[in-house]
Amino acid sequence: MNDRDSLVRLLDLDDEFVIDLKYATSDNFTQKKIYNSSECYINKDTAKLLIKAKEIFKRDGYRVKVWDVYRPISAQRLMYEIIPDNNLVATPPDMSKPIDFEYSHMNGMSVDITLLDLDGNEIEMPTEFDDFTEMAGLKCDKIPPIAKKNAEYLRDIMESVGFEGYDYEWWHFNDITNDPTPYSDIQFE
């Protein structure tokens, strides 16, 4: 299977997701448009898990907004050039050397999401997307109780279907159910 075969357009599988790819616009922490396309691509096996979670959220009265999934290696490199801080942006991989692949945006196996009510309004969460303060981590004791409850609910459902949350970003989840696939630099138009 090649890289393109492992990635699918999320809305082709399920059109109930709200797609707001932040890096397809300048409305992100880099303040630059990073992606060529606003189409949301995802690893096909990771998509199955995300759809399973979406069904639980829907049953409970929520919709899912997707901020980021697949990120080409070149986009990761560009983000790192703009913000060369490994605490904020992962160092792009050196693909000229053998590497062990992990769950990543670069293979479409990491997702950045939030929840909306059925009218399309974002529910209260600890921070906005790509907030690099301590408030983005659920261990912070300054988070308002309703925001913490909502973020913990998001994490609990995502983990119940096979994702793992990231301690420092309440919105970021890695698919830990499926084997990591190679990173890709496919550009979608």
Side-chain angles (χ1 to χ4, degrees):
M1 173 171 45
N2 66 39
D3 296 342
R4 190 173 287 276
D5 292 338
S6 68
L7 295 170
V8 293
R9 184 175 169 270
L10 181 59
L11 292 181
D12 288 343
L13 301 178
D14 190 315
D15 64 1
E16 293 184 326
F17 289 94
V18 175
I19 307 299
D20 181 18
L21 292 185
K22 290 298 188 183
Y23 303 120
T25 72
S26 60
D27 181 23
N28 63 66
F29 77 98
T30 70
Q31 299 181 332
K32 297 184 186 307
K33 182 178 175 188
I34 303 293
Y35 295 168
N36 295 331
S37 172
S38 59
E39 296 290 345
C40 178
Y41 284 84
I42 186 171
N43 173 281
K44 65 182 179 180
D45 295 318
T46 304
K48 293 174 188 172
L49 299 178
L50 187 57
I51 290 168
K52 189 175 179 181
K54 185 224 44 151
E55 289 300 322
I56 297 169
F57 293 132
K58 181 180 175 182
R59 180 198 68 205
D60 291 348
Y62 300 102
R63 297 178 68 198
V64 176
K65 180 189 266 190
V66 178
W67 283 323
D68 197 24
V69 183
Y70 168 67
R71 178 183 306 152
I73 296 167
S74 56
Q76 185 70 34
R77 190 172 296 112
L78 179 58
M79 289 171 71
Y80 191 77
E81 288 172 6
I82 294 168
I83 310 285
D85 183 338
N86 204 33
N87 293 318
L88 303 178
V89 178
T91 305
D94 180 352
M95 297 302 289
S96 68
K97 301 176 185 175
I99 60 173
D100 291 326
F101 296 107
E102 299 176 359
Y103 310 104
S104 170
H105 286 293
M106 292 177 288
N107 55 15
M109 298 183 79
S110 294
V111 301
D112 294 341
I113 65 170
T114 193
L115 296 177
L116 308 174
D117 63 23
L118 294 179
D119 294 324
N121 303 303
E122 288 185 19
I123 67 170
E124 185 178 346
M125 290 293 188
T127 65
E128 298 293 320
F129 176 62
D130 269 356
D131 181 296
F132 299 116
T133 68
E134 68 176 334
M135 294 284 287
L138 291 181
K139 295 179 182 175
C140 178
D141 60 4
K142 299 175 189 170
I143 298 171
I146 189 68
K148 186 170 186 120
K149 180 181 174 204
N150 290 340
E152 287 173 342
Y153 165 75
L154 173 66
R155 182 201 58 216
D156 291 347
I157 298 303
M158 292 296 284
E159 289 183 350
S160 78
V161 301
F163 286 93
E164 179 178 67
Y166 177 55
D167 286 342
Y168 302 102
E169 297 176 349
W170 61 264
W171 59 84
H172 180 93
F173 300 92
N174 296 315
D175 169 357
I176 60 168
T177 301
N178 298 294
D179 292 334
T181 59
Y183 302 149
S184 174
D185 201 34
I186 296 171
Q187 302 289 325
F188 292 99
E189 299 295 326

